[in-house]
Amino acid sequence: MKPVDWGKLAAISEVFGTIAVVISLVFVGVSIRQNTAVVQAEQQNLLYELTDSILSDIVNNPDLYEIQAKGSDRASLTETERSRLYDFTYRSVNVWENAFFKYQDGLLTKTQFDSWNEANKLWIECCVPRWLWDEMKDRNFHPSFVDFVDALY
């Protein structure tokens, strides 16, 4: 019987151990990538649901369209209309801010955020008068988001 060459056996074990570690790392990397994709999809779905809820308010309360149309002239709004416009705008901008920070945290892709951002920029331009943004921005939103939106006006 030949004696066991412990050196060769140790070298073979190290090779198999290294291969096992590499396979484990590849598995962990793939798992993390899949988990990230799932989290990003969940975050986008959440934002869509929030936006759908806000848009449903407009559909179910068509007078919000009229209030938005009158909103450029603050004096033409009643106190109730100003409150309704403020609340509606706050909810909408809050969802946008949520998307802004989810993107910064890596929970939304650039493509996902860009689609939200473009839609919100159009909405700001058409429907959120500067007086309203100025009234709400410093009380309700993070300064970095305020700077981001201010750059759009």
Side-chain angles (χ1 to χ4, degrees), residues 1-148:
M1 182 187 269
K2 287 185 173 183
V4 176
D5 186 346
W6 293 105
K8 287 183 181 178
L9 190 56
I12 292 171
S13 296
E14 281 185 40
V15 168
F16 282 120
T18 302
I19 291 171
V21 167
V22 169
I23 290 171
S24 295
L25 290 174
V26 169
F27 176 76
V28 168
V30 169
S31 296
I32 289 172
R33 181 173 291 157
Q34 288 173 341
N35 185 52
T36 300
V38 168
V39 169
Q40 288 172 337
E42 288 172 350
Q43 294 304 314
Q44 186 162 2
N45 285 339
L46 174 64
L47 290 170
Y48 279 127
E49 288 172 14
L50 291 169
T51 301
D52 184 59
S53 170
I54 292 167
L55 294 176
S56 292
D57 287 351
I58 287 184
V59 171
N60 294 323
N61 301 294
D63 58 321
L64 280 173
Y65 286 117
E66 294 172 23
I67 292 171
Q68 279 188 328
K70 286 173 46 177
S72 60
D73 177 18
R74 186 173 195 245
S76 70
L77 296 171
T78 67
E79 189 61 38
T80 301
E81 289 172 331
R82 273 195 298 274
S83 292
R84 290 187 70 204
L85 182 59
Y86 184 98
D87 291 345
F88 173 76
T89 303
Y90 172 76
R91 288 179 61 212
S92 300
V93 175
N94 193 39
V95 172
W96 188 9
E97 182 183 42
N98 190 336
F100 177 79
F101 286 113
K102 287 184 185 310
Y103 170 64
Q104 287 188 335
D105 291 341
L107 298 174
L108 291 176
T109 65
K110 180 168 177 18
T111 302
Q112 290 169 326
F113 178 70
D114 286 348
S115 67
W116 283 99
N117 201 36
E118 286 305 311
N120 281 295
K121 284 196 286 190
L122 292 172
W123 172 70
I124 282 280
E125 290 170 2
C126 87
C127 303
V128 180
R130 182 64 197 219
W131 68 263
L132 180 57
W133 173 244
D134 286 340
E135 191 174 296
M136 75 171 36
K137 68 182 182 180
D138 295 328
R139 287 184 281 184
N140 298 301
F141 300 104
H142 191 276
S144 64
F145 179 70
V146 168
D147 291 344
F148 177 76

